[in-house]
Amino acid sequence: MPSSRRPIYLNPAAANERCTFPAVDGLEQFHKSLPNYNPTPLVPLPQLATELGVRSVFVKNESNRFGLPSFKVLGASWGCYRAVASHLGLSPTVDFDELSAKAKAVPISLFTATEGNHGRAVAFIARLLSLDSHIYVRKTMDDKTRSFIEGEGARVHKVDGDYDTAVQEATDAARRTDGGLLIQDTALEGYKEIPGWIVEGYSTMMGEIETQLSELGLQSSVIVTPVGVGSLAQAVTMHCKSQSNPTTVVTVEPDSAPCLYSSLKAGSLVSVKTSSTIMDGMNCGTVSLTAWPYLQRLVDASVTVSCHESHSAVQYLASTSVAAGPCGAASLAALRQLAATRETGSPLASDSVVVLLCTEGTREYATPLDVSPEDAVSLTQMLTAIDSSNPTLSVADGVGESKIVEYMEAWFQHRGIEYHRIETVPGRPSIVGVLRGTGEGKSLMFNGHLDTVSLASYERDPLSGLLGEKNGRPVVFGRGSLDMKGGLAAALTAMSATITSGRIPKGDVIIAAVSDEEDASQGTQDVIAAGWRADAAIIPEPTMGSIITAHKGFLWVEVDILGVAAHGSMPFEGEDAILSAGWFLRAIEEYQKHLPTDETLGPASLHCGLIRGGEEPSSYPANCTITIEFRTVPCQTQQSILDDMNTLLADISKENPRFRYAAPRVTMSRPTQKLPFDHPLAQRAADIATPVFGSRPSVKSQAFWCDAALLGEVGVPSIVFGPAGHGLHAKEEYVDVESLRQMEQVYISLISDLCQ
């Protein structure tokens, strides 16, 4: 089945490119002199080779190199050794023990930034040389990884920022320190010699692979290497393209940190925004300056993989007794993608001998969710299984939208879709994904909320996302499946289907997945404040297949009825605010009989939603607060309602001189939504849906409020149009599977029709 995932980058010209990568004097002997040197194993995977239709697959297992769980120590050790020797004016072949003895006589400290293994390796060598080491890490690094670095005797510095920020802080600290040496595998302007030595250090591994294969009468034809900042990939490509029979080089990066892939596509070195990934060691936003020219010219194919694909590869390798972490297993995930795609120009063939560089051993990480779903039903199940309950809506604790936004980020990244995270309130993020059109077309926004009501009121497992049956029809169960993760999923998969079709529309397709709609609509307000607009919008709330063009607004007004606090035994000193509130409640009851009526939306309404007063039974209450919700029609305004309330209160005070009150205040206000039934957007949506549904959907108004009104208020024509199901805010909730599939098809057609 076609996929909308980010395609493989192929560079056919690399097959004819060559370079020189001469042997480094003293390197092999240096590594052999370090404690516990042994070549790491090259593990055959014959079953995988048969499955993928190639001659052989081998894994170069770097899970134990000098007692450390990563290949990084090969480059870090040589880089440290050469840097310290150069600083002391010693020969590049100086004995390691002599180097250590002379290094103790002067102040030398090693500095680096890391996502884990490189920093640990630098700290390891610093300990062997009896030197101080300072390792800079993101403050979000997990405690266990940080403790491993500290266990090598390093001082760890937490940085508020990403990997590139950590590199800059380590660089600045090294410059400020007498005898400070930066041991970074990222080359920068004016800093290229030490990264070059680190690259040289990795050639030991390449030499081992060559020897190990030759003993089997084989030569590699394809090598798959992780990237990160590109130092290992540089060593691999230079080695492979310097051979008399050059080897094809395939690189792999996380979906969330495709710095090489993006640079290759752009044709120039670019930096990318990164986000969380289980492939921490590759979470880098910029390719090393020294690596880039080689990688641009020599890499044959570039692949990005999701966290879930890497996790699946970890599990497969574990079944073959290869201990791999997610960075190490990424090579296998890339190979599977190559084999599944077999695009024109694919480097795989039936006689291919493939070597996967497994760059790290096992480590703990959170099991990632699968971002590959391309259909509305599977994606609804996935989204429903993520807790995104609203933390401000009810007395039950909610977790907010952070976790589901992280999933959405990964979903967009897997497909190379532009996205923007918006988080004006900590822990309440929204995300906007944009499929850019080819130009000069109209834009269409889908606006769907990520939050759900409380899980506490759900009867069974609210996060099951299970596919089941209700009344003889297949449905997806779970809190939010209907309200409104199902509609949002249909919009997302309509976007991905548009990508897969190859018929990118002229106008932009925007998906605003927003927070807090169930309470205060913070998310849509944030999206609007950030400047997002469209020529039309669809809110895929569960309308049971109807098209909603209009709904009432609402207004919350608080009124304080005042009394005088006193002991319950002293009636002449006290004034009962709660009892006085009865005057106001009777007046409100009469007032509501005269509320206006709209020809489309029907009569306005009100109800007293909350009443609070008193401290304890034995005291006269000094205050009674009544909260009234008005469901409004267009002729009502916030000011007109406040004026009515002030008049009503003043009239009561004239009738009862002991009646006292504070000025009423608005605590929340939301506009009405009123698009004409015959608006072109509504009628075109009905036209497109008719052949999919088998009958023409009704166009009407609806009682509930939603974010369509906020978009309408800023000039974006909006309709509410989403799937069918049952159980809004109820003890059991489900969305109809067939309705999801129908809505996906309708949204695909709407994109094609409206964005031209």
Side-chain angles (χ1 to χ4, degrees), residues 427-494:
R428 307 306 303 275
S430 299
I431 186 168
V432 177
V434 188
L435 173 60
R436 293 293 179 185
T438 58
E440 299 182 356
K442 292 186 176 180
S443 57
L444 176 63
M445 176 189 289
F446 293 89
N447 177 293
H449 66 85
L450 296 166
D451 62 320
T452 73
V453 296
S454 169
L455 307 185
S457 60
Y458 204 86
E459 194 171 61
R460 295 187 178 88
D461 179 6
L463 303 176
S464 71
L466 287 177
L467 193 62
E469 189 175 289
K470 201 73 177 179
N471 302 320
R473 294 180 64 85
V475 298
V476 176
F477 288 100
R479 175 62 77 218
S481 58
L482 179 63
D483 185 20
M484 60 173 296
K485 294 177 179 179
L488 180 60
L492 287 164
T493 53

Side-chain angles (χ1 to χ4, degrees), residues 372-405:
S372 67
E374 297 274 274
D375 68 283
V377 177
S378 298
L379 188 54
T380 298
Q381 291 182 270
M382 191 64 67
L383 294 177
T384 302
I386 303 172
D387 185 359
S388 57
S389 49
N390 194 311
T392 60
L393 184 62
S394 68
V395 295
D397 289 338
V399 302
E401 298 86 1
S402 293
K403 187 174 180 182
I404 197 167
V405 164

Side-chain angles (χ1 to χ4, degrees), residues 277-280 282 305 307 310-311 313-314 324-331 359-365:
T277 173
I278 62 171
M279 294 168 275
D280 292 338
M282 296 191 283
V305 298
C307 289
S310 176
H311 168 68
V314 167
C327 289
S331 297
T359 54
E360 67 170 356
T362 55
R363 56 181 172 83
E364 294 180 4
Y365 59 88

Side-chain angles (χ1 to χ4, degrees), residues 283-347:
N283 192 17
C284 306
T286 308
V287 176
S288 172
L289 284 175
T290 51
W292 165 242
Y294 294 99
L295 300 180
Q296 182 183 28
R297 186 167 62 90
L298 303 176
V299 166
D300 297 271
S302 173
V303 183
T304 70
V305 298
S306 71
C307 289
H308 186 266
E309 288 169 332
S310 176
H311 168 68
S312 298
V314 167
Q315 293 180 305
Y316 180 87
L317 290 174
S319 73
T320 66
S321 300
V322 174
C327 289
S331 297
L332 172 55
L335 176 61
R336 287 196 178 280
Q337 175 60 14
L338 279 171
T341 306
R342 292 291 172 109
E343 299 180 27
T344 303
S346 170

